[in-house]
Amino acid sequence: MKDYLSLLFMKFRNDIYEYYGKESRSFPWRSTSDPYRILISEIMLQQTQTFRVMGKYERFLEAFPDFSALAQADLASVLTFWQGLGYNRRALNLKKTAEIVMRDFGGRLPDSPEELTTLPGIGHATAGAILAFAFNHPVVFIETNIRRVFIHCFFQDRQDITDREILPLVEGTLDRNNPRQWYYALMDYGAMLAKSV
């Protein structure tokens, strides 16, 4: 059974990477591993489609290029640059996070899930994404597109799949050598599946 699972997971990884090699999407936050820039993108991408984030991400970073600039900015200015993304609480959380990072972490975003999830607006999935994309840590997390991929590939004949059922598969298929690229590949495959429904 273990050998069968290993082969199944290897084929799954190969299929996802094959698709990614041909159809990977390009976003400005994928060309950096800077923790601040990854944090900004991940908070912006919460409940917001990528095409809306694309128009705001670079302008926000020009106005607030690092934790220090964001922590010192007045909230009205932050909200002005956030306008159009909705859910303004996320902008407030980002500013509070910048203040905490400057005050408690010497201006550096922590790289542990325990510390990240103490920051405003950062739950398990966002912390996992930050750890994978900024620090290339082999963490296990689920978000919408990742969930879609695993349901499509492993639970085609079932409804009402729980994250508890999916998590062991995410862990078993994880590319521990390059989690950053692996999660980008999963997300792109999931985005493709969403369009094909």
Side-chain angles (χ1 to χ4, degrees), residues 13 15 28-29 47 53 66 102 108 128 130 154 162 172 186:
R13 266 194 305 267
D15 290 347
W29 50 86
Q47 300 174 296
V53 173
D66 53 32
M102 292 305 296
R108 300 176 71 91
I130 291 167
F154 293 96
T162 66
L186 280 173

Side-chain angles (χ1 to χ4, degrees), residues 9 12 140-155 158-174 183 186:
F9 289 170
F12 172 75
V140 175
F141 73 96
I142 298 177
E143 56 80 69
T144 303
N145 280 316
I146 293 170
R147 183 181 294 107
R148 186 178 293 116
V149 172
F150 282 89
I151 289 172
H152 174 80
C153 294
F154 293 96
F155 298 99
R158 287 192 43 211
Q159 301 291 319
D160 301 322
I161 310 305
T162 66
D163 285 356
R164 184 178 291 179
E165 294 174 274
I166 296 171
L167 277 168
L169 297 170
V170 176
E171 185 167 8
T173 57
L174 179 61
Y183 280 118
L186 280 173

